[in-house]
């Protein structure tokens, strides 16, 4: 069984939809260790609504924080401290998709970041979305992971931007799983279509 860690080059780049598609494609379990804010409509609930198969299980957050901000700050407002030792993957015999919070170096506390949750055997999928500065953010993220010798691949999200995507492909040399277009909406059927497209490349 394999574990896939989904991270982004920033916040709001499409990690949750990408996670739903990967979860559906592999009929994998899903787990978001740290959720900050929007607890009534958290990412786990969003993914669960988008996944059709009956095999996937959706594991509870280790930390569910009230405020939509960096986890270290949200935890401070809640009067708790995020402890890396408490963030342990759920026991499962299935493939597992783990969704990070924001980008790789988002702080969990004064010493640890989201990157510290990732284990050496994890396959890391970086979600990149075009905006001014996104090339820099993508190269920094992917090259950091490559230097740490992770198995890294990319998903592009949003409207197609050939000059941005081409230079990222050339300068990183990592596999591109596919692109998630700027769809009018995402529901189970749309996610299932993307799952079929991506399945062979995961």
């Amino acid at each position: 069984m394999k574990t896939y860690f989904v991270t982004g080059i920033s916040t709001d780049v499409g990690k949750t939809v990408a996670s739903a598609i990967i979860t559906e494609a592999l009929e994998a379990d899903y787990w978001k260790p740290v959720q900050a804010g929007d607890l009534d409509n958290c990412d786990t609930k969003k993914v669960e609504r988008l996944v059709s198969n009956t095999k996937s299980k959706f594991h509870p957050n280790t930390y569910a924080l009230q405020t939509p901000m960096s986890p270290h700050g949200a935890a401070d407002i809640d009067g708790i401290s995020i402890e890396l030792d408490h963030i342990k993957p759920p026991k499962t015999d299935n493939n597992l998709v783990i969704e990070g919070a924001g980008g790789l170096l988002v702080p969990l506390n004064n010493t640890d970041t989201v990157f510290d949750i990732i284990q050496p055997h994890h396959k890391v999928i970086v979600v990149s979305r075009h905006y001014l500065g996104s090339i820099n953010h993508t190269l920094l993220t992917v090259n950091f992971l490559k230097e740490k010798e992770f198995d890294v691949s990319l998903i592009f999200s949003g409207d197609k931007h050939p000059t941005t995507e081409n230079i990222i492909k050339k300068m990183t040399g990592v596999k591109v799983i596919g692109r998630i277009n700027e769809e009018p909406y995402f529901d189970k059927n749309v996610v299932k279509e993307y799952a079929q497209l991506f399945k062979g490349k995961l």
Side-chain angles (χ1 to χ4, degrees):
M1 294 297 108
K2 295 179 179 177
T3 301
Y4 299 77
F5 193 99
V6 181
T7 190
I9 62 168
S10 183
T11 191
D12 293 329
V13 294
K15 286 193 311 300
T16 301
V17 168
S19 296
I21 291 167
I22 298 162
T23 299
E24 178 67 15
L26 300 172
E27 296 189 338
D29 285 10
Y30 169 90
W31 178 50
K32 179 150 184 167
V34 181
Q35 172 76 37
D38 203 15
L39 298 185
D40 291 334
N41 188 33
C42 66
D43 291 340
T44 304
K45 292 177 182 176
K46 291 174 185 173
V47 172
E48 192 168 4
R49 285 199 300 269
L50 292 171
V51 167
S52 302
N53 80 83
T54 56
K55 186 177 177 184
S56 294
K57 293 181 180 175
F58 303 89
H59 300 276
N61 313 121
T62 303
Y63 290 94
L65 309 167
Q66 298 293 329
T67 309
M69 62 186 294
S70 178
H72 79 289
D76 188 55
I77 290 170
D78 285 1
I80 62 172
S81 176
I82 295 175
E83 303 291 341
L84 198 62
D85 290 345
H86 292 169
I87 301 176
K88 295 179 180 176
K91 291 190 169 92
T92 178
D93 294 325
N94 196 7
N95 292 316
L96 179 65
V97 174
I98 305 174
E99 182 180 349
L104 280 183
L105 298 184
V106 166
L108 300 174
N109 52 42
N110 290 337
T111 55
D112 302 309
T113 67
V114 167
F115 172 75
D116 295 302
I117 299 173
I118 308 175
Q119 299 301 308
H121 67 280
H122 290 173
K123 296 168 76 70
V124 184
I125 298 173
V126 176
V127 181
S128 176
R129 184 181 186 91
H130 172 76
Y131 54 81
L132 189 61
S134 66
I135 296 173
N136 180 50
H137 292 163
T138 305
L139 296 180
L140 284 169
T141 300
V142 172
N143 289 337
F144 178 79
L145 288 162
K146 286 173 67 178
E147 285 170 11
K148 302 293 184 181
E149 300 184 342
F150 280 96
D151 178 339
V152 190
S153 52
L154 270 167
I155 288 176
F156 289 113
S157 169
D159 290 331
K160 189 172 184 179
H161 201 281
T163 58
T164 293
E165 292 170 25
N166 289 339
I167 196 66
I168 288 169
K169 291 175 191 175
K170 287 175 184 174
M171 295 188 78
T172 63
V174 300
K175 178 176 73 175
V176 176
I177 293 168
R179 95 165 355 274
I180 303 167
N181 294 315
E182 197 70 35
E183 302 287 353
Y185 60 87
F186 286 95
D187 62 9
K188 288 184 177 183
N189 290 327
V190 175
V191 165
K192 193 183 289 187
E193 288 174 11
Y194 276 104
Q196 290 302 316
L197 289 172
F198 288 7
K199 191 171 184 178
K201 295 184 180 180
L202 289 166

